[in-house]
Amino acid sequence: MMVETGSWGAVPDDCATWVAGWVLTAFFSVELVLVTISKRNVSEMFSSPYWWVDLISVVPDWTVLVIDAASGSSINGCGSDAASANNPVQVAGDMLEVFRVVRILKIARYNPDSTVLFKALSLSARALAVPVVFVLIGAFFFGAILYYVEHIELVILRADRSGGSPFGDIGEAIWCMLVTFTTVGYGDVSPEGHAGKVVGSVAILAGVVLLAMPLAIVGNNFSKAWEERSKVQLILRVQRTCIDRNISLNGMLQLFEEADTDRSGFLDYLEFHRLLD
């Protein structure tokens, strides 16, 4: 997609990019079929987020192919011309091809630690609703106040000395407050009057407080998810050790007693480490 849009100063070759795109689509389509066959039932298939990523990554290309064939358009990307750029079918096809960008999410499948992030976000979903709602409420509240104080000061009181309010409507003021709360600060629009700057200062302080909550929530849940991951890996390692040594449930007690070299009744870190080795 970056080559098609001329990134890095590259001159896109329509024929080469079309062929390369369909080679990747064919590869991902075969992968989708194999993944679908490997699922035990339909519910397991639909509940897998990676299956949906695989599906969305290939369906747009096949949909564009069907639309082009049904409308009589050329399905050969090497033969496209500038005249088809304004064709509604071509525009619809370009919009569908945007969904190919979800292919980059397939990388998460090959990183086992990515599940920790998903787990942390799922644990934080309900708690994050509180600060998100208050951020929206604050944006509407401060945005409305900012719009009117700017309008009163710059338009009504200083009409002869000012070029007017920087906010054309309340929506622009709300946008300014959202940017302020999230500490992004694009700078495309900002208060110019003294009263508006006071409102903006209060909004900045409120944004710092509101933004600290979701960061703390996600951070704590990420720590919990990482600790749980470590525990699961430890359990799996113990299970693997018992299976490799052909140790039954009755023999595990004897194994732990042998590892307890100081006869304290507990395994310290070094004793447990030697047990796993």
Side-chain angles (χ1 to χ4, degrees):
M1 294 180 67
M2 298 183 68
V3 174
E4 290 179 355
T5 56
S7 298
W8 303 307
V11 179
D13 186 338
D14 293 337
C15 187
T17 55
W18 182 82
V19 172
W22 271 105
V23 169
L24 293 175
T25 299
F27 174 79
F28 291 134
S29 298
V30 173
E31 182 186 27
L32 175 62
V33 172
L34 295 178
V35 171
T36 304
I37 295 175
S38 66
K39 301 298 181 182
R40 291 175 292 183
N41 49 58
V42 177
S43 61
E44 180 186 1
M45 180 177 65
F46 286 160
S47 61
S48 173
Y50 293 121
W51 183 85
W52 285 104
V53 170
D54 293 337
L55 180 67
I56 297 175
S57 66
V58 300
V59 165
D61 285 335
W62 292 108
T63 304
V64 171
L65 184 66
V66 173
I67 292 176
D68 289 340
S71 62
S73 302
S74 174
I75 61 175
N76 186 356
C78 300
S80 60
D81 53 11
S84 62
N86 296 326
N87 187 342
V89 176
Q90 182 66 28
V91 173
D94 292 340
M95 293 178 62
L96 288 174
E97 289 180 352
V98 171
F99 288 97
R100 291 185 300 176
V101 75
V102 301
R103 292 176 179 175
I104 198 172
L105 298 178
K106 296 165 71 70
I107 299 175
R109 173 184 297 172
Y110 305 104
N111 184 4
D113 295 334
S114 61
T115 57
V116 178
L117 179 60
F118 297 148
K119 180 68 173 179
L121 293 177
S122 63
L123 291 174
S124 308
R126 184 167 182 176
L128 285 176
V130 177
V132 168
V133 169
F134 275 94
V135 165
L136 295 177
I137 292 175
F140 278 87
F141 177 77
F142 285 104
I145 295 178
L146 180 63
Y147 171 78
Y148 284 110
V149 297
E150 286 284 284
H151 182 77
I152 292 173
E153 181 177 353
L154 300 179
V155 178
I156 298 177
L157 299 181
R158 297 195 301 178
D160 56 334
R161 294 180 295 142
S162 176
S165 173
F167 305 104
D169 52 48
I170 293 182
E172 291 186 1
I174 294 174
W175 161 254
C176 178
M177 289 297 96
L178 283 175
V179 172
T180 301
F181 282 154
T182 55
T183 67
V184 175
Y186 285 124
D188 54 341
V189 59
S190 60
E192 297 180 359
H194 298 296
K197 291 178 180 179
V198 171
V199 175
S201 300
V202 176
I204 291 173
L205 297 177
V208 171
V209 175
L210 291 175
L211 197 63
M213 287 190 289
L215 293 178
I217 292 171
V218 175
N220 291 334
N221 286 328
F222 183 84
S223 299
K224 292 179 181 179
W226 188 265
E227 183 179 356
E228 182 179 346
R229 167 189 172 276
S230 302
K231 292 180 180 178
V232 171
Q233 288 185 335
L234 179 61
I235 294 174
L236 292 176
R237 190 174 178 184
V238 172
Q239 291 178 345
R240 191 180 303 112
T241 301
C242 294
I243 294 175
D244 293 340
R245 298 182 181 181
N246 196 22
I247 300 175
S248 63
L249 184 60
N250 295 328
M252 291 189 64
L253 180 59
Q254 180 180 357
L255 181 65
F256 276 85
E257 290 178 350
E258 294 176 357
D260 185 17
T261 55
D262 57 1
R263 304 304 176 187
S264 62
F266 300 94
L267 295 182
D268 57 23
Y269 176 78
L270 295 177
E271 291 173 342
F272 191 75
H273 190 273
R274 286 194 296 268
L275 171 64
L276 296 179
D277 292 339

